[in-house]
Amino acid sequence: MSIHTRKSGFDRVFDIANYTLMSLILLAIIYPLYIVVISSFSDPDSVNTGSVWLFPKGITFEGYHRIFMEGNIWNGYKNTLIYTFLGTLLSVVLTLPGAYALSRSELMGRNFFMLMIVFTMFFGGGLIPTYLLVKNLGMTNTIWSQIVPGALTAYNMIITRTFFQSSIPKELQESAEIDGSSITRFFLKIVLPLSMPIVAVMVLFNAVAHWNAYFQGLIYLRDERLYPLQLVLREILIVNEAPAESTLGASDDGSMLRIAEIMKYGTIIVSSLPVLVLYPFLQRYFVKGVMIGSIKG
């Protein structure tokens, strides 16, 4: 039997105000993204004069053409795919077992280990000690400088540990041990299949972080053949904003700035599109995993 509750006048006013506020917030988020998309294939002169605000004008794909004419961009795509795949794999392999161990009350020194992990969230060595450590380990100017540093983060560890604590009951492990299962077998055969939401969240967190990373490449890489996509796009923008004639064929500073303007929006789309394509497939697990992982501290 359905129960119909009649809303009061105050409730209806609250609903209208709530929907209006949420619509304005949604518009404030969506509109800048929409502007970037239509500006990427609009005439840069119209963009600069503010004529492009609702529909594209003077449609041109010159920006995308010039971006993809750069040979380095394909090499950057390849490097970023490698860094993203290996970095995400390493992070997930390190985070999940570590977080599960910390979620078990029978682990000796669990609170001490958690205290040390949380300590790193507030106090770090800084850029120079980190650079010297990476250098002394022989990882500078190698792909490992993009993968190993930051492979294990305290934030992801805490979220994953909380998920295991709230989702995997101790009685389940005890029942498996009675049946003769080892802890490793229990983790691989039972815990992981039951933890797909947090696995998806960790994959998305780490994949997005590696895909957008450029600072580590800026610090540790000298060989341009190892540059990730974000660093390649940065180099393209810097070259095209430089007030000098380049190999792209522009003959004056005005043309260079015009090309740089149209390429600016195109590089945003090129660098963000793979993540935007991946996100809808993980969104269902993402919401569930984050919510469960953040309920209890």
Side-chain angles (χ1 to χ4, degrees):
M1 182 178 66
S2 62
I3 301 176
H4 178 72
T5 303
R6 186 181 180 84
K7 290 187 176 181
S8 65
F10 176 80
D11 290 337
R12 286 194 290 271
V13 171
F14 176 79
D15 286 345
I16 293 173
N18 196 22
Y19 281 120
T20 303
L21 179 62
M22 292 299 106
S23 299
L24 291 175
I25 293 175
L26 180 64
L27 183 63
I29 296 172
I30 295 295
Y31 185 68
L33 299 177
Y34 175 71
I35 282 293
V36 169
V37 172
I38 63 175
S39 297
S40 68
F41 53 83
S42 295
D43 178 44
D45 294 332
S46 300
V47 176
N48 289 333
T49 56
S51 301
V52 178
W53 62 275
L54 190 58
F55 298 108
K57 290 188 177 180
I59 294 177
T60 174
F61 294 95
E62 182 185 4
Y64 289 106
H65 176 67
R66 290 187 177 275
I67 290 172
F68 288 110
M69 275 181 59
E70 294 282 335
N72 289 338
I73 199 167
W74 299 112
N75 188 54
Y77 256 117
K78 183 197 71 177
N79 291 335
T80 296
L81 286 173
I82 293 173
Y83 300 154
T84 301
F85 175 76
L86 294 180
T88 301
L89 180 64
L90 179 63
S91 297
V92 171
V93 167
L94 292 177
T95 302
L96 292 176
Y100 179 71
L102 290 171
S103 71
R104 299 297 93 181
S105 58
E106 60 268 26
L107 176 68
M108 292 182 61
R110 183 177 68 144
N111 293 333
F112 172 77
F113 293 132
M114 279 308 304
L115 179 63
M116 292 295 101
I117 291 173
V118 173
F119 184 82
T120 63
M121 295 180 68
F122 301 100
F123 303 98
L127 179 60
I128 294 177
T130 304
Y131 176 80
L132 293 176
L133 174 63
V134 173
K135 181 182 177 182
N136 291 334
L137 290 174
M139 293 192 296
T140 51
N141 211 27
T142 67
I143 66 170
W144 306 113
S145 65
Q146 309 301 297
I147 296 171
V148 176
L152 191 62
T153 64
Y155 179 75
N156 289 346
M157 179 71 79
I158 291 172
I159 288 182
T160 310
R161 184 206 65 156
T162 306
F163 180 91
F164 286 138
Q165 279 182 333
S166 57
S167 304
I168 308 298
K170 184 179 180 181
E171 291 76 12
L172 191 61
Q173 180 178 332
E174 293 174 347
S175 176
E177 289 176 350
I178 292 174
D179 292 337
S181 174
S182 64
I183 293 181
T184 303
R185 183 182 175 88
F186 172 72
F187 177 75
L188 295 176
K189 297 291 185 180
I190 298 178
V191 174
L192 285 185
L194 294 175
S195 306
M196 283 300 110
I198 198 64
V199 174
V201 169
M202 288 301 108
V203 169
L204 188 62
F205 275 3
N206 288 286
V208 171
H210 282 287
W211 187 269
N212 292 327
Y214 82 95
F215 187 70
Q216 289 184 336
L218 195 65
I219 298 298
Y220 300 126
L221 295 180
R222 298 292 179 268
D223 189 349
E224 292 187 358
R225 293 173 299 179
L226 298 175
Y227 277 7
L229 176 64
Q230 306 296 338
L231 208 52
V232 173
L233 295 176
R234 173 182 175 274
E235 296 294 319
I236 293 174
L237 282 179
I238 290 176
V239 168
N240 286 280
E241 285 181 346
E245 189 172 347
S246 76
T247 56
L248 291 176
S251 58
D252 54 69
D253 293 351
S255 298
M256 293 295 298
L257 292 176
R258 184 176 179 275
I259 293 172
E261 188 67 28
I262 195 171
M263 290 179 68
K264 184 190 306 178
Y265 296 103
T267 54
I268 295 174
I269 301 299
V270 169
S271 61
S272 306
L273 191 60
V275 176
L276 294 176
V277 171
L278 176 66
Y279 181 77
F281 296 99
L282 296 176
Q283 190 268 346
R284 178 164 57 98
Y285 297 105
F286 179 77
V287 173
K288 184 178 179 182
V290 168
M291 289 301 294
I292 296 176
S294 57
I295 288 175
K296 297 179 180 179

